[in-house]
Amino acid sequence: MNLGRDNHPELRDAVRALCSQYDSVYWQGIDDKRVYPEAFVDALTKAGWMSALIPEEYGGSGLTLSEASVIMEEVTRSGGNAGCCHGQMYNMNTLLRHGSEAQKKKYLPKIAAGELRLQAMGVTEPGAGTDTTKIKTVAVKKGDRYVVNGQKVWTSRLQHSELMILLARTSPIDQVQKKTDGMSIFLVDAKAAWGKALDVRPIRNMVNHETNQVFIDNLEIPAENLIGQEGRGFRYILDGLNAERILIAAECIGDGYWFTEKASKYANERVVFDRPIGQNQGIQFPIAESYMEIEAANLMRYKAASLFDRKLDCGAEANMAKHLAAKASWEAANVCLQTHGGFGFAAEYDVERKFRETRLYLVAPISTNLILAYLAEHVLGLPRSF
Ligand SMILES: Cc1cc2nc3c(=O)[nH]c(=O)nc-3n(C[C@H](O)[C@H](O)[C@H](O)COP(=O)(O)OP(=O)(O)OC[C@H]3O[C@@H](n4cnc5c(N)ncnc54)[C@H](O)[C@@H]3O)c2cc1C
């Protein structure tokens, strides 16, 4: 079966060849031991895929977000979990689009060479939740540095990243015209601050996702590590989040094709009542339906990615792509599990692992209700609900 492999065939072939070296046994072992897939991420880095978005002048391959999304799609499509590596792709955009020339020259070649990883982004806080404007982490300018205090939660891949993008308030919320003003983003040398100004505590979670609570105590950041203008960080983060949503949509599409193929194969092979279970329409139709939904979501993913690549407004499309793809992959996961009956629960089939992994994307990086609220307000002109 060769479902959904129409666009960028050469790129797909190359990424697929690499992914095929990290098979089901590899990912089961990683999941079982709850460790980070170092060997896989190293191989992706050495092959240049982790720096796909970095322009050639800084040592990367200068691919578009559409192409980067194909890389992420192929990782999940192969049975792997792209949560270990997608951070670098979308964090990169923040630096590329809003960083200064000096910042790009300093960091991008080292990231491209695999000497530094920019895998972590600290936005979410325990007290603020989705209402990012209520973050309590503050950065106060003192001479040529900012001093940061606060707390983050769900900061992913920080144990495997030298650098982190950090969002903090630089002006109190009651002193700004719009509550989205007065926040800034910084590029943080997390490794240097590890165990000193940064106290990082892992969160055990449903998937094997390296994610943490981070307590920040007098973290000093050189002023030159402020990205863009002070106070405009929320806008920059939103731009980066569009890239994140498109990449995650692509991962869900990859998952969706994986589930659909896996279910179809099993339905063809499994014989019960003297015939393949796939001969029953009760088994066929849900697989056909989930395939159709993935194909439809895929169209929105390419539309959103193309808008992003042309630097056009893509907020609605990026949100829709992520939502449609996450829903479609979750539905495909359910169907695949049901098709496998009891064996769907056995770890050796990978279905239960992928089922857990794809479920995350209805919640993170943005939950379903918030996408619906965005569309209702910004596209349909309905009253703001919060
Ligand atoms: C494994 C994992 C990895 C993550 N990685 C990162 C990371 O690297 N960096 C980072 O910054 N964050 C990260 N996150 C955080 C993630 O982005 C948030 O969990 C997500 O945005 C939801 O926020 P919350 O958990 O605070 O939910 P809450 O904001 O507390 O919301 C809880 C529920 O209420 C609903 N809700 C809230 N307000 C409304 C409303 N007005 N109307 C209707 N429904 C509403 C939400 O949709 C949600 O279903 C990660 C999360 C997870 C689970």
Side-chain angles (χ1 to χ4, degrees):
M1 245 177 281
N2 200 24
L3 306 180
R5 282 180 164 163
D6 42 358
N7 289 331
H8 308 289
E10 285 170 16
L11 174 62
R12 280 182 195 282
D13 282 348
V15 181
R16 211 178 311 160
L18 187 151
C19 291
S20 68
Q21 295 165 39
Y22 299 87
D23 59 6
S24 146
V25 175
Y26 174 79
W27 289 106
Q28 278 170 27
I30 293 287
D31 186 59
D32 189 36
K33 295 189 207 83
R34 290 188 164 261
V35 289
Y36 187 77
E38 275 292 357
F40 174 72
V41 177
D42 265 1
L44 268 190
T45 307
K46 288 196 178 107
W49 302 125
M50 290 286 281
S51 52
L53 291 169
I54 298 181
E56 283 171 307
E57 57 186 297
Y58 301 109
S61 37
L63 299 187
T64 60
L65 190 75
S66 305
E67 290 165 310
S69 79
V70 169
I71 299 172
M72 293 294 100
E73 179 193 340
E74 283 296 325
V75 174
T76 53
R77 182 77 174 73
S78 74
N81 179 5
C84 59
C85 54
H86 58 202
Q88 179 134 315
M89 293 279 189
Y90 56 74
N91 288 332
M92 188 69 66
N93 262 292
T94 312
L95 187 54
L96 283 171
R97 288 208 166 168
H98 307 289
S100 67
E101 195 48 43
Q103 288 167 341
K104 290 184 201 171
K105 277 198 178 126
K106 181 169 176 190
Y107 292 106
L108 292 177
K110 288 189 178 153
I111 297 171
E115 290 166 32
L116 293 178
R117 284 182 186 165
L118 175 55
Q119 288 262 51
M121 177 176 68
V123 172
T124 308
E125 296 190 5
T130 316
D131 188 0
T132 307
T133 62
K134 301 276 170 41
I135 61 167
K136 295 274 187 297
T137 298
V138 289
V140 179
K141 193 155 186 208
K142 290 192 177 154
D144 61 351
R145 358 213 85 217
Y146 285 88
V147 179
V148 185
N149 282 286
Q151 187 185 344
K152 296 286 171 184
V153 70
W154 302 117
T155 310
S156 301
R157 296 163 298 274
L158 187 54
Q159 296 166 50
H160 296 87
S161 184
E162 282 75 25
L163 302 170
M164 164 172 66
I165 302 270
L166 182 69
L167 182 75
R169 267 225 168 264
T170 35
S171 302
I173 193 164
D174 54 7
Q175 289 174 26
V176 286
Q177 271 191 332
K178 278 168 68 187
K179 60 185 183 173
T180 48
D181 290 340
M183 287 181 275
S184 304
I185 47 172
F186 301 91
L187 191 58
V188 177
D189 181 352
K191 276 289 162 283
W194 189 271
K196 296 170 210 149
L198 293 183
D199 175 8
V200 182
R201 302 186 195 168
I203 305 174
R204 188 178 165 88
N205 57 88
M206 179 172 149
V207 272
N208 177 33
H209 196 91
E210 192 257 90
T211 189
N212 309 279
Q213 289 188 79
V214 185
F215 297 86
I216 308 170
D217 182 18
N218 286 322
L219 171 69
E220 293 197 6
I221 307 175
E224 72 223 30
N225 282 29
L226 171 75
I227 297 181
Q229 284 174 27
E230 187 183 297
R232 295 181 62 83
F234 188 72
R235 285 175 193 81
Y236 305 149
I237 285 281
L238 280 189
D239 193 25
L241 292 183
N242 284 334
E244 181 184 39
R245 279 162 206 173
I246 295 164
L247 290 167
I248 286 186
E251 287 172 37
C252 291
I253 301 287
D255 273 338
Y257 286 128
W258 185 91
F259 285 119
T260 311
E261 266 191 27
K262 186 93 172 168
S264 303
K265 188 165 180 293
Y266 189 77
N268 264 320
E269 289 167 358
R270 174 73 168 166
V271 174
V272 181
F273 296 114
D274 305 320
R275 58 182 182 177
I277 56 168
Q279 201 176 328
N280 303 302
Q281 291 183 335
I283 292 287
Q284 289 180 359
F285 287 3
I287 304 175
E289 183 144 24
S290 41
Y291 172 65
M292 208 176 351
E293 283 169 7
I294 294 152
E295 287 280 286
N298 205 13
L299 297 177
M300 185 57 77
R301 161 268 187 108
Y302 281 119
K303 181 177 180 185
S306 153
L307 288 169
F308 187 94
D309 286 331
R310 286 179 285 143
K311 296 197 167 62
L312 297 172
D313 193 8
C314 66
E317 289 77 8
N319 274 299
M320 288 192 283
K322 186 266 178 188
H323 180 67
L324 292 171
K327 251 182 29 161
S329 70
W330 174 237
E331 193 47 42
N334 255 323
V335 168
C336 186
L337 188 84
Q338 198 69 17
T339 304
H340 279 73
F343 289 111
F345 291 81
E348 68 168 286
Y349 284 78
D350 295 310
V351 177
E352 61 82 33
R353 173 176 61 81
K354 297 280 283 179
F355 180 93
R356 286 182 277 120
E357 287 167 0
T358 215
R359 181 62 179 84
L360 173 63
Y361 300 120
L362 285 168
V363 172
I366 180 168
S367 57
T368 301
N369 283 356
L370 271 294
I371 290 182
L372 298 175
Y374 175 90
L375 287 176
E377 183 187 340
H378 296 281
V379 180
L380 303 174
L382 292 165
R384 186 173 171 81
S385 60
F386 52 86

